[in-house]
Every structure is written in structure tokens, then in C-alpha cells.
Amino acid sequence: MNRLDELRGPVPPRAHDARAIAALAANPGCARRALMDAAGVDKDRTARHLGFPAPFGQSQFAITRGNVFESLVKENGCAELLRLLRELLGLPVAQVGYQDVESVGSHLRHSHTRTLVDRAAREHGDTAVFYDHPLFSLEIAGHTSYLEPDVVAFQVGGRFHIVEIKSFSVIDGQAEPEKVAAAARQAAVYVLAMRTLLADLGHDPERVSHDVVLVCPENFANRPTATLVDVRKQLAVLKRQLTRMTRVDRLLEGLPQGVTFDLAPDGDGVPTRSAEELAQALARVPARYAPDCLSTCDMCMFCRDEARGSGSTDLLGRQIRDQLGGVCGMTEALGLAEGTVEPAEGQEEIARLLRLAERLREECLR
């Protein structure tokens, strides 16, 4: 961990919230992000010092709307949520309890959550309980992160379900795929944290369901609707990325001694290091930029600017990059499409499809 501390410099490590941990699963192949997160580097502050602040962030209106909708779902002891879960999971109305973990005070929430979950896991009756404002923990590269899901519903039959409440609308049974995917990645973090807690308490971690309850407004009203989202894929990616971060020595191999992302401030709180020197240090760690990064990573604008002119197929998006297989550069892809470059071994099928796409493009232009 000494090398990671050197990378971060003389500042406290940045704590990871659920959104930040979920973003790890969005681009698991990026060594730069993995190394910065493992060291606890403040990526937002780094990007701002470089002159490339991230373009995303919730507006105050969106935050207010989200708080209002969550309050509606949770009011009267989660009565509306109970109605939704009764329809979705077959939850008996007469056997439901409600526990607000926040009532014990912020300094006791984590230990109180452990006690309540342990007690619920040991009881094998049919009682179902809503746990509001629980607080879990998860180890991220040696640092403890504290996570607060919206609600944990203890289902009849000894199964726990994470409930994720989002304010984006479901219109005619459909929601924006990008928002659903982001919610699934975030919910997977909570599932992993709760499974880790159950394992620590000596219970079967699989009692936490991989089916997450996603609650959203229906159509253009504030009436909530619920659906089950399977997060097994997101869990697998998240586990791989966290394992990669615990084996951070592999990422540090080949990184010259003395390289640091130090943002030590002066007396006025301004980083003492120049943006040019910091950019040179970051260039020592390869990034894997893709357009999806623009909504998930604080370093996205810097990495996009760096990737311009590289000719990498990453700039076309993850889906196209994966379809092109071993074709790493756009110049190579264009050459294969135009027939001016001979396909290497294993590229024959990709070259055939690229030539077909080129013929279709020419026909459209004619």
C-alpha cells in the first residue's frame, strides 16, 4: 500500500460511494481508472486541475424530484412499496414489519444494520421486514466504503431483496436502457455488500437475491411501478474488477518510480503541482476510453482529448470495438474495408463484413 499512498500523495484517500463503485463495472478494462481508484485519488479534483471537468452531474431539480418520489414510495411505513412488492413477489400484507435504521443515529447505523440483518437471517418464520436507511460496508483496495441502499426488503422464505428507487420514468413499460443499466450496476454494489455481510455473519450469502426490485414513476405521473432486474452479469463484472484492484501490484509493474498523481494543496487549497506535470504522470498509465465514459467517469473529458488522433477503435464505442475484435485502429479497419490492407490470421471474417459494409455505404451514397 506504500506505493499507492505515494501515487495519491499527502492527502486522505477518496471514499467510494455506490455510484463510484458501480462505475468500475462500466469499463473494467481501464487500467488508469482502476489504479486511481485503488489509490483513492480524487478523480473529480484531478480532472478540474487538468482543465477537463466532467460534464455530468444531477441538477438540483432532478435531486428534488428524486427525493419527492422516494418519500412518496416510503411514506406511511413503506405502504406504497408494500403494495408493489405484494404484486411483484407475492408478499403477504398481514406479516410485514418496518425498521428505520437511521433512528439509532449515524454513528450506530452500521453496527445496527449488522444486528438487524443477523437477526432476520436467523429467524426462519414467515415475517417480512422493510429495513429503511441501512448502512453496509465494502472493502475497496484496502479502504472501507460505506454504502446506503434505498431499502432492503426481507422477503418471506428467508430471501433478501435490494430495493432501488429511481426517479426516471417508465413509459408504456419501457425505460431508457442506459439509465436502467446504470441503476443495475449500482444495485449490484448493494447486493455484493449485503452478501459480504451475510458471509461475515456466517450465513449463506446467496440468500440475497440477484433479482433487484427497481421502483420508478409510471408514465408521466408520480405513481410508482416496480419490476425485477437481474444483476448477475453486473455482479460478475464488479467482482472481477474489485479482484483486479486487490491485485494492484500487477498494475504497478512497469510504472516508473517517482510517478505520482499528487495534488497536495498550498495554503490557499490550490494544488502545488502544474497541470502539465500531472498530465505527463497520467499518460504513464494506459486508459481505455469509450463514449460510455462520458456518463460514468470523472476523467472522461481528459481521456477523450488524449484519445483524439490516436486512431483507436475505442472512440467508436464499446459495442463496435468488441465487434471489430482484434482490429485496434481505425486506419486498419478502413484499410480492411477498402481492400488495401490484407487481413491477418483470424481477421478474415471481420474483413469480409467490413468490405460488405463499405459496398453498402457506396451504394447508399450513389
Side-chain angles (χ1 to χ4, degrees):
M1 296 301 294
N2 290 337
R3 185 70 181 95
L4 292 178
D5 292 339
E6 291 174 6
L7 275 177
R8 187 180 62 254
V11 293
R14 176 78 170 181
H16 298 83
D17 59 13
R19 286 179 183 271
I21 298 171
L24 294 174
N27 193 2
C30 183
R32 179 179 293 168
R33 164 137 203 165
L35 194 57
M36 294 181 76
D37 282 335
V41 176
D42 188 337
K43 297 188 299 298
D44 176 64
R45 191 159 172 257
T46 299
R48 292 182 182 280
H49 185 56
L50 291 166
F52 292 95
F56 54 82
Q58 280 190 303
S59 67
Q60 189 58 47
F61 172 78
I63 293 173
T64 301
R65 181 173 183 269
N67 291 337
V68 170
F69 180 68
E70 182 174 334
S71 298
L72 173 67
V73 174
K74 290 183 177 182
E75 67 182 1
N76 299 322
C78 291
E80 185 66 11
L81 179 59
L82 172 59
R83 178 188 67 81
L84 294 171
L85 290 182
R86 184 188 182 193
E87 298 172 358
L88 193 66
L89 301 173
L91 190 66
V93 175
Q95 301 176 347
V96 175
Y98 175 82
Q99 291 272 359
D100 188 352
V101 184
E102 199 172 40
S103 62
V104 300
S106 58
H107 61 296
L108 294 175
R109 282 176 63 200
H110 183 249
S111 60
H112 192 47
T113 298
R114 288 179 62 91
T115 301
L116 290 173
V117 170
D118 185 38
R119 182 190 306 162
R122 293 181 187 279
E123 295 175 355
H124 297 289
D126 290 335
T127 303
V129 181
F130 289 134
Y131 296 110
D132 200 0
H133 302 108
L135 191 66
F136 300 138
S137 63
L138 197 61
E139 288 292 319
I140 307 294
H143 303 296
T144 301
S145 298
Y146 291 95
L147 312 168
E148 181 184 341
D150 293 327
V151 178
V152 176
F154 182 57
Q155 168 65 322
V156 172
R159 296 283 285 171
F160 290 93
H161 289 268
I162 296 293
V163 177
E164 188 70 6
I165 303 172
K166 295 296 183 182
S167 60
F168 58 82
S169 297
V170 175
I171 309 297
D172 293 331
Q174 299 291 325
E176 292 186 37
E178 296 82 5
K179 293 183 177 180
V180 174
R185 288 194 297 267
Q186 185 173 341
V189 176
Y190 298 136
V191 172
L192 180 60
M194 192 170 187
R195 286 185 173 181
T196 302
L197 171 59
L198 281 181
D200 290 344
L201 293 171
H203 304 294
D204 180 8
E206 295 301 318
R207 290 177 64 178
V208 182
S209 176
H210 57 257
D211 288 323
V212 171
V213 180
L214 179 61
V215 180
C216 299
E218 186 174 22
N219 296 325
F220 299 100
N222 247 6
R223 178 177 173 81
T225 184
T227 187
L228 289 177
V229 178
D230 188 339
V231 298
R232 277 178 291 186
K233 180 181 177 181
Q234 291 80 4
L235 272 170
V237 174
L238 181 61
K239 288 178 181 177
R240 286 199 302 269
Q241 185 68 345
L242 294 181
T243 301
R244 185 166 179 253
M245 289 176 65
T246 59
R247 298 173 183 169
V248 73
D249 290 345
R250 297 181 183 178
L251 298 177
L252 293 171
E253 290 177 1
L255 194 63
Q257 290 293 325
V259 172
T260 174
F261 309 143
D262 182 6
L263 284 176
D266 58 19
D268 297 325
V270 179
T272 56
R273 193 177 194 190
S274 70
E276 293 77 12
E277 185 182 346
L278 179 58
Q280 291 173 7
L282 287 166
R284 300 278 192 151
V285 184
R288 196 185 190 195
Y289 172 78
D292 295 352
C293 298
L294 292 172
S295 61
T296 59
C297 182
D298 294 301
M299 295 295 297
C300 60
M301 300 304 288
F302 173 78
C303 295
R304 185 178 73 165
D305 183 77
E306 180 185 60
R308 282 174 174 164
S310 67
S312 171
T313 56
D314 289 351
L315 293 169
L316 300 176
R318 191 168 292 111
Q319 183 177 1
I320 295 178
R321 178 194 65 202
D322 293 343
Q323 289 175 348
L324 289 176
V327 181
C328 298
M330 284 188 278
T331 301
E332 182 183 7
L334 289 173
L336 290 171
E338 295 166 354
T340 59
V341 173
E342 285 296 320
E345 184 178 354
Q347 291 184 341
E348 294 84 1
E349 180 62 18
I350 294 173
R352 184 185 69 80
L353 294 174
L354 287 172
R355 287 195 295 270
L356 176 60
E358 175 65 12
R359 288 198 297 271
L360 291 174
R361 186 185 74 89
E362 289 178 353
E363 290 177 7
C364 290
L365 291 176
R366 285 199 297 268

